[in-house]
Structure formats: C-alpha cells, structure tokens
Amino acid sequence: MDIASLIPSFGNAAFTVVAFVVALSIIVTVHEYGHYIVGRWTGIRAEVFSLGFGPVLVSRVDRRGTRWQIAALPLGGYVRFLGDSDGASGKDAAAMAGMDADEKRHSMHGAPLWARVLTVAAGPVFNFVLSIAVFAFLAVVSGVAIEPPTVGKLHPLPAAQSALREGDTILALDGRETPDYTAFYDAVAALPVDSETAYLVRRDGVEQEVAGPYPFPPVVSAIQPKSAAMEVGLKEGDVITAIDGQPIRAFRQLQDVVTASEGAPIALTVWRDGETLSFSLTPKRMDMPNPDGGFETRWLIGMTGGLAFEPATRMAGPLEAVSYGADQLGFIVKSSLSGLYHMIAGKISSCNLSGPLGIAESSGAAASQGLESFVWFIAMLSTAVGLLNLFPIPVLDGGHLVFYAYEAVVGRPPSDKALRMLMAAGFALLIGLMVFALTNDIFCP
C-alpha cells in the first residue's frame, strides 16, 4: 500500500487543521467563559483563563488578577480558580489549608454550594446558548418559507425551460391544492414521475395553469461531509440525469437505487453548468436516527435533494428564530443520547463515535462548503461539547455536579482521598474513550 496516497495534500490538511482549531477555539472559549463569568458573579476568583494547553505563547494579567493566556496546544482550555490544583478543578489541599475565611469564600472549594453548582453548570449551559443563538441567527439569515408555497430562484435544469416564474404562488399540483408546505409535500408524494407537472399558480393576481418540472428533480442541494458524494467531487447544484445509464427525473428515484444497491458501486451521469460528467461512487452503510428515537441502517451516498426552485422566504421573528434554535438543540441532544444508548446496547456500530481526527475532517469538510455550513457545524459541535461535559464522569463538569449532589444530600463533600481516586479514575476513563474514538477514526470505514 502506498502510504503517501493516504495523506491529503498539504493545502487540504492545513485547511482542515485551521478549520478544526477555529471551530474548537470558539466553542472552548464560550464554554470556559461561562465558568469564568458566572464564577466571578458568584464571588469565586479565577486565577487563570487558558485557551489551549502546554507552553504559554502569550498572556496578560487583568486588574482582577486573572491571567488570560493562549497556550501552544489548541485542543481545549480551562479556568483555574483559587484553590484549584489543576485545570480540572482538583482541590489543592495545601493551598486551602493556608487560607483565611475570606480567601476560602472566594475559592472554588470554599464557596457556598449554590455558587459552585452555578459556576460548574455554566460551561455546558453557555455551549447550549451558543448553539441556540447560532441556529436562530441562521434562521433569520436564511428566512422562513412563505406559505402558500411561493417560487423564489429557479434552479438551472438540463430539460426545457420551465414555465414557472419567480414570485409565482403555487395553489395546486395536478389538481391537488397546496395551501401550505405540508399539503405541497403530500401532493408531491402522489405525483407520477413525469417530465412535466401541472402547476396552478397565482401570477400578478391572476390564476393560471403552467407546466413545470417535477417538484423534486434530482438536484443536489447539499453534500454531507465525509460522504461518498464528497469523495468523488459532486457539488451543490449538480443535476443527476442518469443512474447506471438509466435516465431519472426525480430525486426519489436516486434514493431507491442507492437503497437497493446494498453497497455496490453505482455510476452517475451528472449535468453541471451545461456540461455532462460521469462519476462512480460506492454507497456507505450508515446508522440514521428515526423520528421515534430509534435507528435504522441505510445505504447512503451523502447528498440531499431539493425543490426545483428555492422557496421564497420572509424574515423570521425573534421568538420564531429562538424557538427554531431550541428545537434544533433538542433534536441534536435527543439524537446523540439515542445514538449512545444504541451503541452501548450493540444495536448500531460503535464506528458512529468519532474522535479528534474525524471531527477535524468534518470541520474541514463543513468549512469547504461555505461559511453557513461551517457556522452550522460549530453550533452542532457546541451542543455535543456541552452534552459531553454533563456526563457524570469525574474531571468533567457532570462529575463535579454529581459530587455537589452528594454534598447536598449528605451534608459534606466527599473526602479528599475519595475525590483524588475518583478524579484519577475519571481521567483514565476519559483517556480510554479518546483512544477508542481515535481508533475508530483510523480503522472504521
């Protein structure tokens, strides 16, 4: 095997690394700032705020005595509070023993229980707030589809020019009324896959019937990172005109062929900017979440279809955008927990767990598709980081919250010896999980 063939070009590798570092740095900064600012509000003094680990590259001390620094290894960060022995908020027993009552009140381990709980929980909460804010912002930027369905920009297609026009309000498809997108999609499901579809539209205040393309032609609206489609160079806007030499007119025809392929290679004929291209790609077996919370295994090539036109949109209102952001957050959390459960239960492959190399590759792939895709990826990763930190593993925020729950019930914290043992066990478990995920990055298909 030619090892060099496994290594991406320096330019691609550098782009991937930069995208990963930028995404992770934003998420870590928000997470640690949550700890810092809530700790400050509750009277807990931060000694160090570090972005990265290892040798310090630059630093400064602010008027409150906190050292802000950037370290050489941009793979995380930490806030070390007064009384901490390390960035994981281990207790420095010797330092605590030498403090007077006022100093202890301003330390992480001597502050009231409520202050410690709020400070520790703030990191994941800030990650979730970042995700909601980003999703809400994207909803405002992208807009909300106008109903009844209204034609925005028409996608270029290799067939004859559509009689649809930008601004047309679609009232019916082949006689089925479409007052909203739910009815529109139901009408599409009942349509035969023909070269033309009868649209009843309102244009300039007048209702008329016009001929247009099948509403969901085989147009590529998005390419998924690390997918077969991305690997062979398919792009957004490509139109699939044939599969294994057989012409197609609807995206669902492509889905049917891929599903039935059982992983066998398929040949695609693609129309791109007036040019006809050929691609051969092999579908990948993927475990995908169901609406009911379960998973199903499918063969996928990693592309998303879209309408023959971009829906006309309106600006989302503030509450509407925030509600959308919260819904996206909830979906990611639910899917992540469901996926973890199904992996532990052996119902889906453990290869669904990605490590740092897989995340870095996804970062680069998302960034290569444009700013909006990269920002969306940051919001998704922020949710994942916030959720991971809530797991009840010592050294993570969730582990500290478990300790605080024990203290609230028993009336005293765990002993220093018990804390040291639990922290060491948690650190070992975390390292083991990281090694396992890294192994997945290297050996999983």
Side-chain angles (χ1 to χ4, degrees), residues 266-286:
I266 59 176
L268 301 182
T269 304
V270 174
W271 183 85
R272 179 188 295 170
D273 298 328
E275 183 181 2
T276 299
L277 306 172
S278 297
F279 296 89
S280 178
L281 68 171
T282 303
K284 296 184 177 183
R285 190 170 181 170
M286 304 289 289

Side-chain angles (χ1 to χ4, degrees), residues 132-180:
I132 293 174
V134 169
F135 288 135
F137 171 76
L138 291 175
V140 171
V141 171
S142 301
V144 177
I146 296 172
E147 294 184 328
T150 302
V151 177
K153 180 181 177 182
L154 288 161
H155 292 299
L157 296 172
Q161 180 67 35
S162 169
L164 287 173
R165 296 290 182 268
E166 185 173 341
D168 285 350
T169 298
I170 300 173
L171 305 177
L173 292 174
D174 273 7
R176 291 175 176 264
E177 294 185 355
T178 56
D180 53 37

Side-chain angles (χ1 to χ4, degrees), residues 199-225:
Y199 291 77
L200 177 64
V201 303
R202 183 188 298 117
R203 180 183 299 169
D204 299 326
V206 178
E207 293 186 11
Q208 56 183 294
E209 188 169 287
V210 299
Y214 182 79
F216 279 94
V219 175
V220 179
S221 63
I223 300 292
Q224 304 303 315

Side-chain angles (χ1 to χ4, degrees), residues 47-233:
E47 294 188 317
V48 177
F49 185 111
S50 181
L51 181 60
F53 301 102
V56 177
L57 301 179
V58 293
S59 69
R60 73 174 183 85
V61 178
D62 67 17
R63 59 187 178 86
R64 293 184 177 85
T66 301
R67 179 176 296 279
W68 298 74
Q69 64 185 38
I70 298 176
L73 300 176
L75 299 177
Y78 62 89
V79 177
R80 192 178 75 228
F81 292 100
L82 181 65
D84 286 349
S85 60
D86 50 46
S89 285
K91 184 178 179 181
D92 187 340
M96 291 295 297
M99 294 181 187
D100 58 29
D102 182 65
E103 287 179 311
K104 287 182 178 179
R105 169 59 186 86
H106 293 294
S107 72
M108 173 57 84
H109 304 277
L113 182 60
W114 64 267
R116 286 177 278 148
V117 169
L118 291 178
T119 299
V120 169
V125 168
F126 269 53
N127 279 134
F128 295 150
V129 170
L130 171 64
S131 297
I132 293 174
V134 169
F135 288 135
F137 171 76
L138 291 175
V140 171
V141 171
S142 301
V144 177
I146 296 172
E147 294 184 328
T150 302
V151 177
K153 180 181 177 182
L154 288 161
H155 292 299
L157 296 172
Q161 180 67 35
S162 169
L164 287 173
R165 296 290 182 268
E166 185 173 341
D168 285 350
T169 298
I170 300 173
L171 305 177
L173 292 174
D174 273 7
R176 291 175 176 264
E177 294 185 355
T178 56
D180 53 37
Y181 272 99
T182 300
F184 180 87
Y185 296 141
D186 289 342
V188 172
L191 286 175
V193 180
D194 293 329
S195 58
E196 287 188 346
T197 298
Y199 291 77
L200 177 64
V201 303
R202 183 188 298 117
R203 180 183 299 169
D204 299 326
V206 178
E207 293 186 11
Q208 56 183 294
E209 188 169 287
V210 299
Y214 182 79
F216 279 94
V219 175
V220 179
S221 63
I223 300 292
Q224 304 303 315
K226 300 173 60 177
S227 65
M230 174 166 279
E231 289 172 359
V232 300

